[in-house]
Amino acid sequence: MDEMAELDRLWADTPEATARDLAAARVALLARAAAPPGRAPRTKSRRYAFRTAAVGLLATALTAAIIGGQVILGGPAATPANAQALLELAARAAADQRDLVPGPGQYVHTKRRIQDPRYTRAPSGGPVLGYLVTAVEERWEPADPGKPWLLRERAESVTGSPVPRWLWDRGDEDTLYESSCPGQRAYVRLGAWPADVEAVRAKLAAQAGRDPVRMWAELKQLVAESVVRPSLSAALFQVASELEGIRLIGDAVDAAGRPGVAVAMDEGDGRRSELIFDRRTYRYLGERTVNTRDIQVRMPEGVYIFRKGAVTGTAVLTVDLVTALPEVSPKASRLRIPC
């Protein structure tokens, strides 16, 4: 008897397992393997659970083989072997998501948690003080040209130099932007970018002169904006996988405290910048920058030393569509941007 032919016949009408199906099956099998030995009754449900878990494990192994042996199994969360494998998985995860297409009157709403360095002169006239503010940043960008868009920031905490609370905690700080130039809005700018990998590669190379560090810098900015357009993110991740100098960071934490795995590049100026992805789904979480040495920050008031190991970053919390701007603070700053 041809066993492989029989297997093909048995599963001919069974739909292909999704990533979610495989993850659940793998967890179930590992949990069963870890359970203490004992003789449970052989029921139909137990036999079905075992068969489902076994099929899931087999499919997971086959998926790893398709990627080319670049994924290491052996735990509930597969660990990519290198940066290229991680970016390939991230590209697939992005391709499974839908682009946001705002309709007339709608706004693209993004919410992020940011870690932002700031500097001030000590009240006594002493040295420059540097501190790190953790804040929530929200943006509302309209689909219709000619409408204003809103940036709102609310500080949550501060670390580093001791500074008075009134200096960093000012409640909701609104900035209302107005411009007749449609290209000012992030998601409109993204419309000029194709989702084809070759075209994205060529466009980035034209802007950055094929220098890997410059291409990485351009690409990071586009990745941050393209959370509203995952089809572009998928192409960007594939282009990033081709850059020289990228490497895998096995353990990374985004600005929201979520653990992940990252792809990093040394920017050559004492900083290492990273793109962080969820450890299980490989969806983009955000970015962070780590000082690899002390960096001098020169200001009119003096020089501040931004220490080795200091981390800044941004974590994506929400990306959705809404029908209106929230109520704008009466103290909002209003800026008009010329074309």
Side-chain angles (χ1 to χ4, degrees), residues 64-120:
I66 291 172
I67 294 176
Q70 293 184 333
V71 174
I72 302 171
L73 299 178
T79 303
N82 52 44
Q84 289 76 15
L86 173 56
L87 287 167
E88 176 65 26
L89 292 166
R92 295 182 184 187
D96 287 340
Q97 302 174 61
R98 292 184 178 180
D99 292 354
L100 288 185
V101 182
Q106 289 188 311
Y107 291 78
V108 176
H109 171 234
T110 55
K111 183 178 181 180
R112 296 176 169 89
R113 179 166 281 109
I114 62 174
Q115 295 171 320
D116 188 28
R118 299 181 185 178
Y119 312 94
T120 187

Side-chain angles (χ1 to χ4, degrees), residues 25-267:
R26 184 172 56 193
V27 170
L29 183 60
L30 290 171
R32 182 175 295 277
R39 299 190 62 180
R42 296 178 58 84
T43 64
K44 179 179 180 181
S45 61
R46 186 183 180 203
R47 289 195 300 270
Y48 177 79
F50 177 79
R51 188 180 78 170
T52 301
V55 171
L57 184 63
L58 176 61
T60 303
L62 290 174
T63 301
I66 291 172
I67 294 176
Q70 293 184 333
V71 174
I72 302 171
L73 299 178
T79 303
N82 52 44
Q84 289 76 15
L86 173 56
L87 287 167
E88 176 65 26
L89 292 166
R92 295 182 184 187
D96 287 340
Q97 302 174 61
R98 292 184 178 180
D99 292 354
L100 288 185
V101 182
Q106 289 188 311
Y107 291 78
V108 176
H109 171 234
T110 55
K111 183 178 181 180
R112 296 176 169 89
R113 179 166 281 109
I114 62 174
Q115 295 171 320
D116 188 28
R118 299 181 185 178
Y119 312 94
T120 187
R121 169 70 85 179
S124 61
V128 174
L129 300 178
Y131 54 101
L132 189 69
V133 172
T134 299
V136 171
E137 177 194 271
E138 294 186 80
R139 294 173 182 262
W140 290 264
E141 297 190 354
D144 303 323
K147 285 190 174 182
W149 69 99
L150 178 66
L151 169 65
R152 172 171 292 168
E153 186 174 306
R154 182 176 63 257
E156 295 181 324
S157 63
V158 64
T159 57
S161 301
V163 293
R165 190 178 186 93
W166 61 264
L167 190 62
W168 60 270
D169 186 2
R170 300 177 182 176
D172 288 344
E173 296 185 82
D174 288 357
T175 305
L176 194 67
Y177 293 90
E178 295 179 338
S179 176
S180 58
C181 182
Q184 293 289 350
R185 293 166 292 161
Y187 84 90
V188 174
R189 292 196 301 274
L190 294 177
W193 284 82
D196 176 75
V197 176
E198 291 187 7
V200 169
R201 183 191 302 113
K203 194 172 177 69
L204 277 171
Q207 292 185 356
R210 297 189 180 276
D211 176 77
V213 176
R214 288 183 58 195
M215 286 187 69
W216 174 258
E218 295 277 354
L219 190 145
K220 280 193 310 173
Q221 179 63 34
L222 278 169
V223 167
E225 294 182 347
S226 66
V227 291
V228 303
R229 191 183 168 199
S231 60
L232 175 57
S233 299
L236 291 169
F237 295 147
Q238 291 189 48
V239 173
S241 71
E242 304 166 0
L243 296 180
E244 294 183 7
I246 59 170
R247 62 188 180 95
L248 182 73
I249 303 294
D251 291 296
V253 179
D254 72 4
R258 298 174 298 193
V261 60
V263 172
M265 178 176 283
D266 188 339
E267 298 194 355

